[in-house]
Amino acid sequence: MIDATATFLIVTHAGCDLLRRFLDRYEDNDFQFIIFVDAKADDRPFRELASEFRNVEIFMERRPVYWCGYSFISAFLLLMERYLDRGLHSRYVFLLSGSCYPLLPPQEMRRRIADAPQHMVSFEGSINSIPRKRDFVRRYHFHDNAILSSRHQLTSVPLRVLRWALRPMARLLTQHLPERSIEYVKAGDVFLGSAWWGISNDTFVSLSDFLAERPEFLRGFHMTAVPEEFLVQTALVEAGIVPAEEIRSRSSDMIGRRVFGSHFIDWGTRSDSPRVLTESDAVDASSSGALFARKVILPESAEFVAAVDALGDRAYGGC
């Protein structure tokens, strides 16, 4: 068994330079990294990182991950299995993307995690309390593939023509097929929140046990839109870890809010993609109480990264 303050499970398709900055700051074995690199990306830069840092493992199995599709859940489940197979025992386990960056120096991260609650998961309500999210779950969605994924670029002309022909058909099917059942949830509701979160080791093990015991629960999220924003929140309720009544009455308004669970995220005036953070966001992010920031993209966010590192070192005494 390997004891650590935190293990960071990371799903990424880019951002190797940002990850190197993260690792330079968190190179102690007290922090472990297990990284899943999207099969559509070149994993060689990430493997070079793993050879340089002893606390990094690049997950060997390669699979493509498509935005809004169940393939993200598949990647997360592989990371979960690897964490448990390695016998890791961290105070906390975080799920991060390649565009997440810590807002605290390591010693302050240790202190915050030592005092942390059972989970740092954002619960924004449920599909019954937020009607605009209902169709994400109750309708069939077909974009978990290279042809129909809206954010996957195709270079082949025949494939682009095929996408042009199939997308209207997929939209019609989504709109007109009968609604999907949610009988896989005993609570009768599906809960939602940020895809990026942190939970204690005991909660992580309980979550893993629940998912292993309820294969029909996992199957229920196939063909869901953005299942990563529903699965863990709903599983924590279904497993009895978080009381459903705490969440049912909530309604989500992401606009104007910038802290979601363990993360500082600025959705601006949109709800489909967060704003890339810049130097002007550094003070707000550092004083937000969040542990991580997203969306951090280099080189656009280079001054943001330098500023939050400096602010953290000044406030907490450096690394």
Side-chain angles (χ1 to χ4, degrees):
M1 179 179 292
I2 301 174
D3 290 318
T5 290
T7 294
F8 306 115
L9 308 179
I10 300 177
V11 179
T12 187
H13 66 277
C16 195
D17 290 341
L18 182 68
L19 185 57
R20 179 180 290 278
R21 181 75 178 248
F22 192 162
L23 287 164
D24 282 337
R25 202 153 170 79
Y26 280 74
E27 62 181 342
D28 193 297
N29 270 357
D30 200 27
F31 299 97
Q32 295 289 314
F33 293 76
I34 308 176
I35 302 168
F36 181 99
V37 182
D38 186 342
K40 303 190 301 298
D42 181 2
D43 69 339
R44 286 174 296 181
F46 295 94
R47 294 193 180 280
E48 289 176 10
L49 278 185
S51 68
E52 296 175 34
F53 294 90
R54 59 186 179 177
N55 58 338
V56 177
E57 177 184 1
I58 304 298
F59 194 82
M60 295 298 294
E61 185 173 341
R62 305 293 308 282
R63 295 185 185 182
V65 176
Y66 297 103
W67 184 68
C68 286
Y70 189 84
S71 50
F72 180 94
I73 301 299
S74 297
F76 159 62
L77 294 173
L78 289 171
L79 289 171
M80 170 179 269
E81 183 179 11
R82 183 57 184 156
Y83 173 88
L84 297 170
D85 286 348
R86 280 184 56 185
L88 288 167
H89 188 282
S90 302
R91 284 181 179 270
Y92 240 72
V93 181
F94 293 94
L95 182 65
L96 307 176
S97 78
S99 61
C100 297
Y101 190 75
L103 292 169
L104 303 170
Q107 81 280 5
E108 179 61 13
M109 183 72 78
R110 290 187 186 95
R111 189 188 71 78
R112 296 281 185 95
I113 289 173
D115 296 337
Q118 187 181 30
H119 69 79
M120 285 182 272
V121 178
S122 77
F123 285 88
E124 307 304 323
S126 73
I127 63 169
N128 286 335
S129 64
I130 308 172
R132 63 187 173 82
K133 294 289 187 178
R134 190 176 187 276
D135 284 352
F136 284 47
V137 175
R138 298 304 299 267
R139 295 290 182 185
Y140 291 89
H141 297 271
F142 301 91
H143 43 234
D144 197 18
N145 55 76
I147 301 298
L148 295 176
S149 174
S150 62
R151 294 194 180 180
H152 180 63
Q153 293 186 351
L154 296 174
T155 56
S156 164
V157 172
L159 290 179
R160 290 166 67 180
V161 171
L162 182 61
R163 170 182 284 179
W164 175 82
L166 291 179
R167 273 186 174 171
M169 296 171 60
R171 283 194 291 268
L172 285 172
L173 289 171
T174 296
Q175 293 168 6
H176 297 294
L177 282 174
E179 283 197 341
R180 303 170 64 208
S181 166
I182 58 167
E183 60 185 14
Y184 55 89
V185 287
K186 296 177 181 177
D189 209 348
V190 175
F191 300 91
L192 63 129
S194 174
W196 317 108
W197 43 258
I199 57 180
S200 69
N201 183 80
D202 289 348
T203 302
F204 189 82
V205 172
S206 297
L207 175 64
S208 173
D209 290 344
F210 168 80
L211 295 175
E213 293 165 3
R214 294 275 301 276
E216 80 286 356
F217 178 85
L218 283 172
R219 285 196 299 271
F221 287 91
H222 285 263
M223 304 187 81
T224 294
V226 205
E228 64 269 27
E229 294 184 356
F230 298 95
L231 185 135
V232 167
Q233 283 80 358
T234 306
L236 291 174
V237 173
E238 286 285 297
I241 297 168
V242 176
E245 296 311 314
E246 282 185 17
I247 304 153
R248 277 208 175 91
S249 61
R250 300 183 192 178
S251 62
S252 176
D253 183 6
M254 296 190 302
I255 308 304
R257 289 180 52 212
R258 294 195 288 182
V259 176
F260 299 86
S262 57
H263 278 63
F264 177 93
I265 304 173
D266 189 342
W267 288 92
T269 57
R270 302 173 58 186
S271 61
D272 61 332
S273 183
R275 189 172 63 80
V276 175
L277 300 176
T278 62
E279 185 181 16
S280 63
D281 301 299
V283 171
D284 287 347
S286 296
S287 61
S288 68
L291 305 188
F292 302 91
R294 184 177 187 274
K295 189 173 187 177
V296 183
I297 304 290
L298 296 182
E300 298 97 310
S301 303
E303 292 180 341
F304 171 84
V305 170
V308 296
D309 282 353
L311 288 166
D313 291 345
R314 191 177 307 134
Y316 304 110
C319 295

